[in-house]
Amino acid sequence: MVSNTTLCIAGGATAAAILGTLIYWRKKHEIIPWTWIEVGTLKEIDLYPLKSGRRIELTKVDVTEVGLRQASEDQKILVLRDRFLIVYTEKENEFRTARNYAKMVLIEVSAHDADHVLLDAPTMRTLYVKIPPQKPHKDVHVTVHRGEQINGIDCGNEAALWLSRYLLEKDFGLRLAYNDCSEHRDMTKTEYKLMECFKNFTRYSGGVYHDLTSIMLMNKASVQDLNKRMNNYQITVKNFRPNLLVEGPPPYDEDNWEWIKIGNVIFRNVAKCYRCFMTTIDPETGLSSSDREPLKSLEQYRPNDCPSKSPAMGVHLEVRKTGRVNVGDKIYVTRRKQ
Ligand SMILES: *[C@@H]1O[C@H](CO)[C@@H](O)[C@H](O)[C@H]1NC(C)=O
């Protein structure tokens, strides 16, 4: 016979186990907070269809698991996505960016119709590029940072010729790949997850051809502070190529945010954005600054050990709840416990 006491203990143990599991699950999955602090407004939205190419400035945008997607209500026109095109080498299938060819920042991409984009660049004729249907086109694996390989679909010989002429002044060498954004990278399966500064990456963090996560956010006041520290040189926030620009909070407040809410969209701050030579390229001229600014000044007051001593500016976000955001939306955050 089972006594009441035994039942009681068994029941208590079960309840404790369930509660324990719940607490563990909540901690592990970092549940979205209930209370928020208003810190400012969304000032600018920029989408970069081509990795290292020119931005498109938007007043509203859809935020998806793989990053920004143009909020086009017109279904007949191709909807552009952030970093869904990438330049790669014909021979080794290795990605190329403005770090290799600074004038890449001047390449403009726009949607022409349901399955064509237009490429434009100074001195070049406008090129119509057919965006390949998902299959059965030639699949490529484009090698990006740290040997990581990301799927792509090659965009054909005309785009290859156009890019090679513009960037190499040759008739071959570079090609264009397109990602259909049907899946995103799992950053927990990359080397980054092993590095202290990227240990907060989760399976939600990856984009497509983004360097790291699918969204990069910056704070206007941080860039203004940097400008104050530089002698005889000024930059705009566009040197840093953020997707979302916030106005209102004090400089570097963004470093301490844990969760961010804009409209119905919820993001989690998973890493600082460590900066490279790319920030020295003027996005309007495609020329690098002669004295490594703003990187030189940033290195002086924001030193860092991870990775390779690059100074940080801006934050990498992962998307936890998708939806639409608009310029002018209020920004709500929770701050990390200090
Ligand atoms: C990881 O997240 C925790 C909790 O928000 C935070 O305290 C820590 O600073 C983060 N680490 C990095 C390297 O971003």
Side-chain angles (χ1 to χ4, degrees):
M1 226 177 80
V2 185
S3 75
N4 278 350
T5 325
T6 318
L7 275 179
C8 221
I9 290 168
T14 310
I18 291 171
L19 191 69
T21 310
L22 270 177
I23 291 169
Y24 173 76
W25 194 86
R26 272 196 60 111
K27 250 187 109 107
K28 192 168 156 64
H29 293 264
E30 290 131 346
I31 294 299
I32 295 166
W34 287 287
T35 53
W36 297 92
I37 309 158
E38 188 185 320
V39 291
T41 54
L42 183 58
K43 185 76 181 160
E44 286 169 18
I45 303 171
D46 287 341
L47 183 147
Y48 294 85
L50 171 69
K51 184 178 185 70
S52 277
R54 190 170 172 82
R55 69 188 175 269
I56 299 178
E57 299 183 4
L58 302 168
T59 54
K60 61 180 179 184
V61 79
D62 287 328
V63 181
T64 77
E65 289 91 348
V66 292
L68 300 187
R69 183 182 61 203
Q70 218 172 9
S72 172
E73 267 68 56
D74 183 356
Q75 295 300 310
K76 290 191 288 286
I77 294 264
L78 187 84
V79 176
L80 300 177
R81 289 173 173 265
D82 192 50
R83 274 85 172 200
F84 78 147
L85 296 168
I86 193 167
V87 175
Y88 70 101
T89 60
E90 187 173 336
K91 234 175 159 178
E92 309 89 354
N93 288 1
E94 267 173 21
F95 79 136
R96 287 293 179 264
T97 68
R99 283 172 284 255
N100 310 103
Y101 315 110
K103 67 180 183 175
M104 256 181 98
V105 300
L106 303 178
I107 300 178
E108 289 181 23
V109 178
S110 53
H112 177 65
D113 59 26
D115 50 11
H116 287 83
V117 295
L118 300 181
L119 294 189
D120 270 299
T123 75
M124 298 296 289
R125 73 184 164 90
T126 302
L127 185 76
Y128 292 74
V129 181
K130 188 169 164 59
I131 292 299
Q134 278 178 261
K135 299 283 166 203
H137 277 257
K138 188 187 132 205
D139 272 341
V140 289
H141 297 280
V142 180
T143 306
V144 296
H145 297 291
R146 296 180 182 270
E148 189 188 350
Q149 294 199 336
I150 310 180
N151 281 335
I153 307 171
D154 183 75
C155 295
N157 292 337
E158 281 196 48
L161 182 65
W162 192 95
L163 286 168
S164 303
R165 284 204 178 142
Y166 177 57
L167 297 172
L168 305 177
E169 288 162 24
K170 290 202 303 195
D171 286 349
F172 58 90
L174 297 174
R175 301 193 69 85
L176 182 67
Y178 151 78
N179 191 297
D180 66 13
C181 298
S182 54
E183 55 182 13
H184 67 90
R185 287 146 75 197
D186 183 347
M187 300 308 277
T188 62
K189 295 201 174 111
T190 63
E191 287 186 22
Y192 299 107
K193 186 67 182 167
L194 307 173
M195 300 165 72
E196 176 62 25
C197 50
F198 301 127
K199 67 171 193 208
N200 286 343
F201 280 179
T202 74
R203 65 194 168 86
Y204 305 106
S205 302
V208 277
Y209 298 136
H210 306 83
D211 272 355
L212 291 165
T213 75
S214 53
I215 305 282
M216 200 263 287
L217 174 143
M218 289 186 57
N219 173 6
K220 199 170 173 188
S222 308
V223 179
Q224 285 169 338
D225 179 72
L226 166 62
N227 266 335
K228 273 187 225 149
R229 292 164 189 269
M230 283 190 291
N231 299 321
N232 314 318
Y233 198 75
Q234 297 289 286
I235 46 116
T236 72
V237 70
K238 306 298 185 192
N239 278 57
F240 293 96
R241 306 167 68 84
N243 294 119
L244 304 174
L245 180 70
V246 177
E247 186 177 53
Y252 316 108
D253 195 31
E254 65 278 18
D255 292 346
N256 296 318
W257 299 345
E258 182 157 21
W259 294 88
I260 296 109
K261 182 158 79 88
I262 311 175
N264 293 323
V265 183
I266 295 176
F267 306 91
R268 195 168 146 261
N269 176 7
V270 289
K272 288 183 187 164
C273 187
Y274 298 95
R275 298 307 186 154
C276 70
F277 169 77
M278 184 97 191
T279 57
T280 69
I281 303 168
D282 182 332
E284 309 308 321
T285 62
L287 301 172
S288 332
S289 68
S290 52
D291 52 359
R292 284 182 69 249
E293 289 291 20
L295 206 52
K296 198 171 107 189
S297 294
L298 257 187
E299 280 165 357
Q300 269 153 32
Y301 76 101
R302 282 173 69 81
N304 247 303
D305 284 333
C306 179
S308 58
K309 306 217 181 298
S310 318
M313 184 65 130
V315 285
H316 285 295
L317 309 184
E318 63 179 23
V319 179
R320 286 303 188 91
K321 190 166 172 290
T322 61
R324 179 165 293 186
V325 300
N326 297 276
V327 166
D329 282 352
K330 291 201 170 7
I331 313 278
Y332 300 90
V333 305
T334 66
R335 291 199 178 87
R336 286 176 175 145
K337 281 155 205 83
Q338 303 263 319

